[in-house]
Amino acid sequence: MDVLLVDDEPKNLFALSALLEDLGARIHCASSGEEALRQVLKRQFAAILLDVRMPGIDGFETAAAIRSLERTRRVPIIFLSAQRDRRADGRDSLSEFI
């Protein structure tokens, strides 16, 4: 199973990779929303773990772009954040991704 991890913090990518590799997943990493979108165009993923707060294209914008593609519309996206993001508080901001 191929899993895409997206986070601008290398230490977070390292920790998540180690955890998921122990479960037998093939891990692919991206350090930005832009890089994640490039990878999604190249490969099929069983799931995407996506940091909410990143410079440039943030996690919500990245998820919206992934959802706009027919072949990736149903790929599960799990949002990650070490900090509270006000946009995650409103039902409208997450409902489009569920």
Side-chain angles (χ1 to χ4, degrees), residues 4-8 13 28-45 47-51 54 57-59 61-63 65-66 69 71-72 77:
L4 177 61
L5 305 178
V6 186
D7 198 312
D8 59 319
L13 290 174
H28 305 268
C29 295
S31 59
S32 68
E34 296 90 348
E35 186 180 345
L37 294 175
R38 284 191 294 274
Q39 289 205 35
V40 164
L41 292 173
K42 293 179 190 175
R43 181 176 288 111
Q44 291 282 138
F45 293 102
I48 299 170
L49 280 73
L50 181 58
D51 184 21
M54 294 183 291
I57 300 176
D58 70 18
E61 294 167 318
T62 302
I66 291 168
L69 301 171
R71 73 181 193 87
T72 57
I77 296 174

Side-chain angles (χ1 to χ4, degrees), residues 56-98:
I57 300 176
D58 70 18
F60 292 110
E61 294 167 318
T62 302
I66 291 168
R67 288 284 182 254
S68 73
L69 301 171
E70 182 63 36
R71 73 181 193 87
T72 57
R73 184 163 289 147
R74 300 241 179 247
V75 175
I77 296 174
I78 300 168
F79 289 98
L80 304 172
S81 183
Q83 298 177 330
R84 183 181 170 118
D85 189 309
R86 290 180 212 253
R87 289 175 58 184
D89 290 339
R91 282 180 276 153
D92 293 339
S93 63
L94 290 177
S95 63
E96 67 186 274
F97 305 113
I98 297 173

